[in-house]
């Protein structure tokens, strides 16, 4: 009875999370303007073709516009154009092949197997790339059921390519009016969030904010296909200034929290300093968004009081540490105001543009793909499932004579994911969303519009707008709009909307059930992936520490280490969220993951404070006590990484607190020549940062020591790496 109750609770928890996800619309993952533009690109060619008396040709163009729209993502205009045109060409080629090979069941199956495998692997490149892969495979799946002669197949491919070209042209239409508008907008959004960060208190027990915003801005400004020129160089400087200012704001917010009870006066002074910083950052964001920069008198007024609070911070350890951060932040703000003048020039300075010395890529897609090319990888398992199930179910359904049989394979293609939790959620939401979309769209198309072509085109645009606005994060809403979109497209192609509602719904249910069975047959439970994600997070933090102290690292390498740490943290948090909703008992793994993440948040805040001193490399080289402490911290992180991945048996006492005390004593009795001529403020900041670092690591080690892994072999896990010598 107890086991049954526990199982019911697990299922109930999963269903509650499912409902919460289904009704939540996350607009941060979508853009209404982009959704409207894509809907226009979809409906426009169809309307023109219908006006010319050939709506079927318009359907082909709409298919190309639909697929190409999934590649309309943030980025420089040049990269966006190349990405969208490449997607249109791939869609046209695969669609033409599918139509030409439709008469051969074997050839169609082999094509679908290749496309399904590619779509599965594209999941490693992110949700947007996965959408493109799914859309391409889905088009080939549907068109394979309408075989054509080679000549007609080429015509279909050209129509799809033309529709994609129109969609791409709309996406870059504003290029002549604002050459670097995407770069300015993504940077303006980062600065708006940074202003909000300075305006609101920060809880150091939570993950440091702005990681996704910094990652997006870095990808746009430094990723593949980035632009060049004086204005873009200014944007990169502004990005670097924002990253450093974020460190200072996080550290100052933590100091204010510490001082709030014991020394409210200095705490209020820090709060006032952060409020002034917020006003400057908000003005910089406005200047970037408008492309006009800041008027000199406005800049002078905003900067007038910046840094004034340092005289009110007192002589306590925390107060002296705060002085150095206030000075640093004031310098960052002045540099931002000066640099935004060049950045707001927005491409009007175009001569003598040179290529920058280097760039940062958050993630190398080819390296990620190579790392996943083995059968132990969830991505490869997912790709193999798709490569087998999509063609197999399509062939079987056709052999059984199931009407519109591609809906079964189409459902599998859309809902199947590497892990059970995501597949379970997507299957249920897909069925519910498809039911709603089919009924509403069929009723509107048949009873309200009566088959009117103009009305159907408007309904098509509305369905696609809704699907793009919902985005890949909300399977329920996007499935409802997708079902409606397919109903309308088929109606325009001559298939009555009301005749196949039941068949489509039954096929959708069958496809969802097959996907669930498939993922159970070769499961990839997220609870099994979570320890690896946590180990990767700790490894990224250790690498971040090493780049701070290594004198040979470049600014680009240090920026890349920070980006990798943010990416690892995001992956670990997402893995924990997925493990929480698995309808199986994974409570032990979830509790351990939640505890480790909570203490890792404190750890990264401490590392950020250490990084914010800007002198860690010099201090590591010149202060032996600091070197010993950092080496011990690195070794502890290596032990914790192994423990998170493999289980904890025993931990050596690395004397972190004792080493930190020795470092503090060395600072208090230091001679200028022996300590790198540290200022009192910098020394205080180091004491604060190392104290928080040791506290967080001691807590993290205690969490791991209290939870040995079941079945772990005796002996201590091997240590991957260690501190510097």
């Amino acid at each position: 009875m107890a086991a049954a109750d526990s199982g019911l609770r697990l299922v109930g928890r999963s269903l509650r999370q499912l409902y919460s996800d289904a009704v939540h619309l996350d607009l941060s993952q979508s853009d209404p303007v982009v959704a409207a533009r894509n809907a226009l690109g979809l409906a426009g060619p169809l309307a023109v073709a219908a006006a010319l008396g050939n709506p079927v040709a318009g359907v082909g163009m709409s298919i190309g516009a639909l697929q190409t729209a999934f590649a309309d993502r943030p980025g420089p205009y040049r990269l966006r154009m190349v990405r969208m045109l490449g997607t249109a060409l791939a869609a046209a080629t695969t669609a033409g092949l599918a139509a030409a090979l439709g008469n051969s069941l074997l050839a169609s199956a082999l094509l679908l197997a290749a496309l399904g495998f590619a779509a599965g692997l594209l999941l490693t490149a992110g949700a947007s790339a996965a959408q493109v892969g799914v859309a391409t495979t889905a088009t080939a799946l549907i068109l394979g059921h309408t075989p054509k002669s080679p000549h007609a197949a080429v015509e279909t491919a050209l129509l799809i390519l033309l529709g994609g070209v129109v969609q791409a042209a709309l996406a870059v239409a504003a290029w002549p009016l604002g050459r670097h508008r995407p770069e300015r907008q993504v940077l303006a959004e980062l600065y708006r969030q940074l202003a909000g960060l300075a305006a609101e208190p920060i809880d150091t027990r939570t993950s440091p904010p702005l990681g996704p915003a910094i990652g997006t801005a870095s990808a746009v400004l430094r990723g593949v296909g980035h632009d060049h020129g004086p204005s873009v160089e200014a944007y990169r400087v502004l990005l670097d200034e924002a990253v450093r200012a974020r460190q200072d704001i996080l550290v100052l917010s933590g100091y204010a929290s510490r001082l709030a009870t014991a020394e409210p006066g200095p705490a209020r002074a820090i709060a006032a300093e952060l409020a002034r910083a917020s006003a400057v950052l908000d003005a910089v964001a406005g200047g970037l968004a408008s492309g006009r920069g800041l008027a000199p008198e406005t800049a002078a007024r905003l900067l007038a009081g910046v840094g004034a609070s340092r005289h009110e911070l007192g002589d306590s350890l925390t107060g002296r540490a705060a002085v150095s951060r206030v000075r640093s932040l004031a310098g960052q703000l002045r540099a931002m105001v000066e640099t935004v003048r060049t950045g707001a020039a927005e491409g009007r300075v175009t001569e003598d543009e040179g290529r920058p010395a280097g760039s940062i890529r958050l993630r190398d897609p080819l390296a990620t793909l190579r790392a996943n090319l083995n059968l132990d990888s969830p991505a490869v398992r997912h790709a193999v499932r798709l490569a087998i199930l999509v063609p197999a179910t399509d062939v079987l359904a056709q052999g059984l004579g199931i009407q519109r049989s591609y809906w079964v394979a189409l459902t599998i293609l859309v809902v199947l994911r590497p892990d059970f939790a995501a597949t379970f959620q997507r299957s249920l939401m897909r069925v519910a969303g498809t039911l709603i979309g089919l009924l509403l769209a069929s009723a509107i198309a048949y009873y309200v519009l009566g088959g009117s072509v103009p009305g159907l085109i408007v309904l098509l645009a509305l369905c696609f707008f809704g699907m793009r606005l919902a985005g890949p994060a909300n399977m329920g809403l996007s499935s409802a709009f997708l079902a409606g979109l397919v109903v309308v497209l088929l109606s325009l192609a001559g298939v009555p909307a009301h005749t196949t509602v039941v068949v489509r719904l039954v096929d959708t249910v069958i496809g969802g059930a097959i996907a669930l069975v498939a993922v159970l047959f070769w499961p990839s439970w997220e609870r099994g992936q979570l320890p690896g994600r946590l180990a990767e997070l700790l490894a990224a933090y250790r690498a971040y520490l090493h780049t701070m102290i290594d004198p040979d690292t470049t600014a680009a390498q240090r920026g890349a280490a920070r980006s990798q740490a943010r990416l690892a943290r995001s992956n670990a948090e997402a893995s924990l969220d997925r493990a929480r909703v698995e309808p199986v008992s994974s409570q032990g793994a979830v509790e351990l993951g939640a505890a480790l993440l909570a203490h890792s948040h404190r750890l990264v805040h401490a590392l950020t404070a250490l990084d914010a001193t800007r002198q860690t490399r010099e201090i590591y080289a010149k202060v032996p006590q600091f070197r010993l402490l950092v080496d011990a911290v690195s070794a502890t992180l290596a032990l914790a990484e192994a423990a998170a991945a493999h289980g904890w048996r025993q931990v050596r006492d690395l004397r972190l607190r004792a080493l930190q005390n020795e470092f503090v004593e060395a600072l208090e009795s230091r001679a200028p020549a022996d300590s790198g001529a540290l200022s009192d403020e910098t020394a205080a900041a180091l004491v604060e940062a190392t104290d928080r670092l040791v506290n967080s690591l001691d807590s993290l080690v205690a969490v791991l020591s209290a939870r040995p892994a079941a079945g772990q072999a005796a002996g201590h896990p091997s240590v991957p790496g260690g501190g510097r010598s």
Side-chain angles (χ1 to χ4, degrees):
M1 181 64 70
D5 290 343
S6 176
L8 288 174
R9 284 196 298 271
L10 287 168
V11 173
R13 184 182 65 195
S14 297
L15 291 176
R16 285 193 298 272
Q17 184 66 44
L18 175 69
Y19 173 77
S20 175
D21 292 342
V23 300
H24 176 63
L25 179 59
D26 185 5
L27 290 179
S28 67
Q29 303 299 315
S30 58
D31 185 337
V33 174
V34 173
R37 183 178 69 216
N38 293 159
L40 176 63
L42 180 74
L46 186 56
V48 172
L52 295 175
N54 191 359
V56 175
V59 170
M61 295 176 66
S62 294
I63 291 173
L66 187 152
Q67 293 202 64
T68 305
F70 290 120
D72 188 358
R73 306 196 305 276
Y77 284 124
R78 180 188 303 169
L79 174 60
R80 189 181 304 178
M81 181 180 67
V82 171
R83 185 171 57 213
M84 294 183 73
L85 291 179
T87 301
L89 182 60
T93 302
T94 55
L97 284 172
L101 299 175
N103 287 313
S104 170
L105 205 59
L106 176 60
S108 294
L110 291 175
L111 177 63
L112 288 176
L115 292 176
F117 187 81
L121 285 184
L122 279 176
L123 198 61
T124 63
S128 297
Q131 269 192 312
V132 172
V134 168
T136 302
T137 309
T139 301
L141 177 63
I142 295 172
L143 290 181
H145 285 246
T146 56
K148 300 179 183 295
S149 66
H151 178 73
V154 171
E155 288 183 348
T156 298
L158 290 176
L159 287 172
I160 289 174
L161 178 61
L162 180 58
V165 169
V166 171
Q167 190 73 271
L170 287 175
V172 299
W175 194 345
L177 302 177
R179 180 183 178 191
H180 299 303
R181 185 175 180 274
E183 291 92 332
R184 283 194 295 104
Q185 293 301 319
V186 73
L187 201 54
E189 178 59 27
L190 172 59
Y191 270 78
R192 287 191 196 98
Q193 294 189 33
L194 194 60
L197 185 68
E200 295 292 333
I202 300 164
D203 187 352
T204 56
R205 295 170 298 179
T206 62
S207 174
L210 268 67
I214 292 173
T216 299
S218 297
V220 170
L221 294 173
R222 290 171 168 153
V224 178
H226 58 73
D227 210 340
H228 312 299
S231 54
V232 178
E233 290 301 316
Y235 301 146
R236 294 193 184 103
V237 171
L238 285 169
L239 174 60
D240 292 337
E241 299 290 358
V243 171
R244 287 193 286 269
R246 171 180 176 262
Q247 292 177 332
D248 289 331
I249 291 169
L250 289 173
V251 174
L252 283 171
S253 188
Y255 290 165
S257 178
R258 284 194 174 195
L259 293 169
T261 302
E263 300 181 66
R268 285 193 296 270
I270 293 176
E273 190 67 47
L274 290 174
R276 287 190 286 270
S278 177
V280 175
L281 292 166
D282 193 57
V284 171
L288 284 167
S290 66
R292 291 191 296 268
L294 294 178
E297 58 274 12
T298 302
R301 175 175 54 80
L302 289 171
L303 292 174
V306 168
S309 66
R310 65 180 183 272
H311 304 297
E312 307 170 31
L313 296 177
D315 196 42
S316 67
L317 174 66
T318 303
R320 284 185 283 125
V323 169
S324 66
R325 299 280 56 80
V326 166
R327 286 175 173 165
S328 174
L329 181 58
Q332 306 295 340
L333 295 173
R334 292 189 178 91
M336 292 168 185
V337 169
E338 181 66 27
T339 307
V340 78
R341 297 174 185 172
T342 303
E346 220 277 73
R348 289 188 286 274
V349 181
T350 59
E351 295 181 0
D352 300 324
E353 294 187 350
R355 181 174 298 273
S359 63
I360 296 176
R361 295 177 64 177
L362 299 184
R363 181 171 54 181
D364 184 343
L366 291 179
T368 303
L369 180 62
R370 285 193 298 269
N372 280 280
L373 287 178
N374 62 80
L375 288 179
D376 292 329
S377 163
V380 167
R381 292 187 184 187
H382 175 58
V384 170
R385 287 193 198 100
L386 286 180
I388 294 173
L389 288 176
V390 171
T393 52
D394 186 51
V395 169
L396 180 61
Q398 289 188 65
L400 295 176
I402 298 177
Q403 190 179 10
R404 307 293 172 194
S405 57
Y406 51 75
W407 278 83
V408 177
L410 186 62
T411 300
I412 294 172
L413 178 67
V414 172
V415 305
L416 191 61
R417 282 298 180 267
D419 60 289
F420 178 86
T423 303
F424 174 72
Q425 287 187 327
R426 292 172 68 88
S427 295
L428 294 183
M429 286 194 284
R430 166 76 173 175
V431 170
T434 298
L435 172 62
I436 295 170
L438 284 175
L439 292 177
L440 286 178
S442 299
I444 293 172
Y446 182 69
Y447 294 107
V448 178
L449 300 177
S452 166
V453 172
L456 288 174
I457 292 174
V458 172
L459 181 59
L460 179 76
L462 291 175
C463 286
F464 192 57
F465 175 81
M467 187 177 72
R468 286 290 283 156
L469 193 65
N474 194 307
M475 192 65 195
L477 286 176
S478 61
S479 293
F481 286 117
L482 175 61
L485 185 147
V486 174
V487 165
V488 177
L489 273 177
L490 291 176
S491 296
L492 289 166
V495 181
H498 66 291
T499 58
T500 55
V501 172
V502 175
V503 173
R504 290 170 185 157
L505 181 59
V506 171
D507 289 348
T508 299
V509 173
I510 293 173
I514 292 174
L516 285 174
V517 172
V519 82
L520 282 172
F521 176 73
W522 197 7
S524 295
W525 296 107
E526 192 60 37
R527 57 180 175 170
Q529 304 296 321
L530 182 57
R533 295 285 184 267
L534 294 170
E536 289 170 4
L537 174 64
L538 296 174
Y541 285 167
R542 188 160 58 93
Y544 175 25
L545 175 64
H546 283 180
T547 61
M548 281 194 286
I549 61 175
D550 189 344
D552 296 325
T553 55
T554 64
Q557 289 171 327
R558 292 191 292 276
R562 297 184 190 107
S563 298
Q564 290 293 346
R566 288 191 294 268
L567 180 62
R569 183 169 66 245
S570 175
N571 289 341
E573 290 170 341
S575 180
L576 179 62
D577 289 340
R578 290 192 295 269
R580 280 195 174 110
V581 298
E582 286 183 335
V584 293
S585 179
S586 56
Q587 194 62 26
V590 168
E591 287 181 356
L592 175 59
L596 281 178
L597 271 176
H599 290 297
S600 76
H601 296 332
R602 297 172 58 205
L603 171 65
V604 74
H605 277 284
L607 288 172
T608 299
L610 198 61
D611 192 5
T613 63
R614 320 278 196 264
Q615 292 182 255
T616 48
R617 289 176 293 171
E618 293 84 353
I619 300 166
Y620 183 87
K622 296 180 180 180
V623 183
Q625 293 83 357
F626 183 69
R627 184 161 57 251
L628 291 173
L629 174 61
V630 168
D631 288 348
V633 166
S634 177
T636 302
L637 282 170
L639 290 169
E641 177 190 340
H646 308 298
W648 195 273
R649 299 299 301 173
Q650 181 182 359
V651 58
R652 291 183 287 115
D653 181 9
L654 297 178
R655 300 177 59 249
L656 291 182
R657 178 54 63 189
L659 290 171
Q660 199 265 343
N661 289 335
E662 292 173 8
F663 173 56
V664 173
E665 292 172 1
L667 289 180
E668 291 174 347
S669 60
R670 72 189 188 281
D674 296 332
S675 58
L678 293 179
S679 66
D680 289 343
E681 293 85 358
T682 301
L686 286 168
V687 172
E688 280 272 351
T690 54
D691 178 67
R692 294 164 65 186
L693 186 63
V694 169
N695 281 340
S696 61
L697 269 177
D698 282 345
S699 299
L700 191 144
V701 167
V703 167
L704 286 167
S705 298
R707 290 174 172 81
Q712 173 69 25
H716 193 279
S718 60
V719 178
R724 290 165 56 91
S725 59

